Amino acid sequence: MTSRTRRILLTLVLGLPLLAAVPWIASPVLVQFGINMLIMATLAQGWNIIGGYTGYSSFGNSVFFGLGAYGVGIAMAQFEQPFWIGLGLGLLLAVVFALAIGLPVLRLKGHYFAIATLGLAEVVTAIVSNVPIAGQNVGLVLPLLKSDVLFYELSLGLLLVATLVVFWLSRSRFGLALIAIRESEEAAAVMGVNATRYKILAFMLSAALTSLAGGVYAYYITFIDPAGAFDISLNVKMIIMAVFGGPGTVLGPVAGALLLSVLSEVLASKVTNIAGLFFGLVIIAAVVLMPRGLADLTQKFRRSGWRYFAQNIRDHRL
Amino acid sequence: MNAPLLTVKNLRAGYGEMQVLYDLSLDVHPAEIVALVGSNGAGKTTLLRALSHLLPWQGDVRFDGHSLQSLSPNRLFALGMVQVPEGRQLFDRMSVEENLLLGTLAGTARDALRRNLERCYGLFPILAKRRKQLAGNMSGGEQQMCAVARALMSGPRLVMIDEMSLGLAPVAVDALLDTLRLVRTQGVTVLLVEQDVHSALHVADRAYVMESGRIVREGPASELADDPEVQRAYLGL
C-alpha cells in the first residue's frame, strides 16, 4: 500500500513538470496533439470511477462530455458569459443528469447497464437537436481564444485534478465501498453498504470530471454540434484507454490514454491508410495478452516474465 | 431472562407465488448462541434472506425493539445486526485485511477500526499471518474465518451465520465453533443456521428445528440433542 502510494506520488512529481514544459519546447502541432491527448486521458480517468472502480461499464459518459461542452457553448455563445460560468453550467447539467438517469439505470447490471446507457447518447442528441437555445442541428460557435498553451495547461490541470480525485478514491472508504460493489454487490449490501447511493455518487463524480473535460474541449475547438458533442465513439475510446491502462487503478487509465494516443498518432502519420487496422490489432493483442491492463503488467511482469502473457491466454478470465 | 434481542413473530415469506415460510416465530436473547437447524429446503436461508430484506415478507420482526419492516439493510447493520452470508461472499481478489476493513463501511471511526482489526486478528491468529494474502487463495476454513471476522469488524450485537460448516474440514468447524463461544463471552449474540445439526447443537444454548418452513421443535440444545426423534431424523442415530 505504501510503496504503491509512493510510486504514484513519484510519478506525479516527476511527470507533471515534464508534461507542463511541453508547450514551451514543442512545436504548435505537437501542443495541439497534446491537448487532445490530455483531454482523452481526463475522460479515461473519469470513466475509471464508474467503469473501473465501481464496475459499471458506462456508455453514457459521452453524454456528460456533451453536456459539459454545451454548458460552455450556451453560456458563451448565447449569453456572452465568461468561460468559467459555462464550465459550472455544464458541470451542473451533467451531475443533475447523472443523478436523474442513475436512479433508474444503475439498478441494471452488466450488459443491461451498458445497453441502457448506450441509448442515452441517441436520446440526448435528439433532444439537443431540437432545443433552440442549444442551436438545434446547426450547433453553436464559440468566441475564439487563440492560445494553445493556455488550453494545454488547462487540460493538464484538469487531468491532475481528475487523477488526484481518483487517488483520493483509491485510499478512501468511499472507494473501498465502490470496489466492494464491483466485486459483489450482494455481499456489499449485506455489510451495510448502501449500494444505490454509492453507485449514484460514483456516477455523479464521473459525470463531473467528464463534463469539465467537455467544457474545456468546446472552448478549445470553438464549435459544437449535437453529432460531434455526443459522439458515442468517444465513449468507446475512453473505455479502450482505461481498460488498456488498467481499470480500477490510479495511473493506469492515464498511462493507457497517453500511450494509445501517441500510438494512434504515429500510426496515422506513418501508415495513413491502414492505421485503423494496426490500431485494432494492438487493441486485440492487448486484451488477449494483458486483460488487466498496463498497471497489472508492470506489477507482474518482473516476477513472472514472458510467462505472464501465456498465463493470461490460459486463464482467460477477468 | 432479559428482553429478547431479536423477536420473529408470524413471519411469512417466499419467492413469488411460492410460500416458503409459514408463520414462523422465534426469539434470540442477548449473549445467547441459538441454533436453527433443519434439512435442506426447510427454509433456513430464506429466513435469513427475509431478515436482511433480500426478500419481501410479512410479519412482526423486531431487533432490539425496532421494527424491522421500516429499517433498511444499512440501518440494520448500523444497529448491530450483521450476517455472514451463505457461501461466504468474500472479495476473492482483495487481501484479507481489505476484506476485513470492508466489514465496517457504515462509518466507524479510524481508531475503533484499528481496535476491531486487532480484536479479529486476536480471535483468528491465522488471519493475521495471512493479512496480505488474497482471500480467494486461502483454504475454505480460512475463508470462513475471514467471513466471520469481517462480520465481527463492525462490533455487532447479533451475528447471523448461514451454513458456516458447509464444505469445511471438521477441524476447521471445531476451531470456528470455539471462536463463537469466545465471541459470545464478549457479549455478541449468535444465530447459527446450520444443516450440520450435530455441531450446531453441540455449541448452542437453545435450538429451533425447522421443517418445511415451520418450527417443529424448540428447546435447550442439549435436550434436543437427546431427543430420540431429532436423533433419528437428523443425527442418523
Side-chain angles (χ1 to χ4, degrees), chain A residues 143-186:
Chain A
L144 185 66
L145 175 68
K146 193 75 198 119
S147 169
D148 283 355
V149 176
L150 184 74
F151 281 116
Y152 182 93
E153 301 297 351
L154 193 59
S155 308
L156 183 61
L158 196 56
L159 175 59
L160 178 67
V161 169
T163 304
L164 287 177
V165 166
V166 173
F167 178 61
W168 162 78
L169 202 67
S170 73
R171 298 168 49 89
S172 70
R173 305 277 288 287
F174 175 58
L176 214 53
L178 297 185
I179 296 172
I181 289 168
R182 179 186 74 200
E183 297 294 319
S184 165
E185 202 158 332
E186 191 162 319

Side-chain angles (χ1 to χ4, degrees), chain A residues 33-53:
Chain A
F33 162 71
I35 296 169
N36 280 299
M37 180 177 79
L38 292 170
I39 294 216
M40 267 327 297
T42 308
L43 294 177
Q45 194 65 288
W47 185 87
N48 190 26
I49 295 173
I50 186 74
Y53 277 91

Side-chain angles (χ1 to χ4, degrees), chain A residues 26-294:
Chain A
S27 69
V29 178
L30 205 61
V31 174
Q32 281 167 16
F33 162 71
I35 296 169
N36 280 299
M37 180 177 79
L38 292 170
I39 294 216
M40 267 327 297
T42 308
L43 294 177
Q45 194 65 288
W47 185 87
N48 190 26
I49 295 173
I50 186 74
Y53 277 91
T54 322
Y56 276 73
S57 283
S58 164
F59 280 86
N61 277 37
S62 55
V63 174
F64 304 143
F65 177 85
L67 290 174
Y70 267 95
V72 168
I74 291 169
M76 294 184 79
Q78 306 284 41
F79 296 102
E80 290 169 11
Q81 293 295 314
F83 171 60
W84 306 108
I85 302 278
L87 219 48
L89 176 64
L91 182 84
L92 189 70
L93 283 173
V95 169
V96 169
F97 186 75
L99 176 66
I101 288 301
L103 280 170
V105 166
L106 281 167
R107 289 169 191 277
L108 307 169
K109 293 200 179 84
H111 306 311
Y112 300 98
F113 175 77
I115 291 167
T117 52
L118 199 54
L120 290 178
E122 294 299 321
V123 174
V124 177
T125 308
I127 294 172
V128 171
S129 303
N130 289 295
V131 174
I133 204 173
Q136 294 180 312
N137 291 321
V138 186
L140 297 169
V141 179
L142 283 76
L144 185 66
L145 175 68
K146 193 75 198 119
S147 169
D148 283 355
V149 176
L150 184 74
F151 281 116
Y152 182 93
E153 301 297 351
L154 193 59
S155 308
L156 183 61
L158 196 56
L159 175 59
L160 178 67
V161 169
T163 304
L164 287 177
V165 166
V166 173
F167 178 61
W168 162 78
L169 202 67
S170 73
R171 298 168 49 89
S172 70
R173 305 277 288 287
F174 175 58
L176 214 53
L178 297 185
I179 296 172
I181 289 168
R182 179 186 74 200
E183 297 294 319
S184 165
E185 202 158 332
E186 191 162 319
V190 166
M191 286 178 325
V193 177
N194 188 339
T196 314
R197 189 203 298 168
Y198 280 95
K199 283 188 291 187
I200 288 173
L201 284 175
F203 205 37
M204 287 163 72
L205 193 57
S206 181
L209 294 172
T210 309
S211 73
L212 290 177
V216 172
Y217 190 74
Y219 194 19
Y220 167 62
I221 214 82
T222 67
F223 171 74
I224 48 170
D225 66 345
F230 300 103
D231 184 6
I232 199 80
S233 74
L234 186 69
N235 204 125
V236 176
K237 269 191 204 159
M238 295 175 204
I239 298 180
I240 289 176
M241 287 170 168
V243 171
F244 181 82
T249 63
V250 178
L251 292 176
V254 179
L258 300 191
L259 213 72
L260 285 184
S261 295
V262 170
L263 184 73
S264 126
E265 194 67 18
V266 168
L267 283 174
S269 61
K270 298 286 181 211
V271 284
T272 318
N273 292 330
I274 47 172
L277 173 72
F278 276 103
F279 193 69
L281 283 176
V282 169
I283 300 298
I284 293 171
V287 170
V288 171
L289 294 172
M290 34 175 271
R292 282 177 220 91
L294 287 170

Side-chain angles (χ1 to χ4, degrees), chain A residues 1 4 171 173 176-177 179-180 182-184 186-194 197-198 292 317-318, chain B residues 49 54 73-74 77 83 85 89 91-94 98-99 101-108 110 113 150:
Chain A
M1 200 72 167
R4 196 163 68 197
R171 298 168 49 89
R173 305 277 288 287
L176 214 53
I179 296 172
R182 179 186 74 200
E183 297 294 319
S184 165
E186 191 162 319
V190 166
M191 286 178 325
V193 177
N194 188 339
R197 189 203 298 168
Y198 280 95
R292 282 177 220 91
R317 59 178 272 261
L318 267 166
Chain B
R49 287 176 64 86
L54 291 170
N74 13 311
F77 184 90
Q83 259 197 58
Q89 301 277 0
F91 301 104
D92 287 348
R93 289 190 290 161
M94 300 170 83
E98 283 170 321
N99 266 281
L101 289 176
L102 276 169
T104 60
L105 281 166
T108 320
R110 288 212 176 237
L113 205 74
R150 185 178 64 182

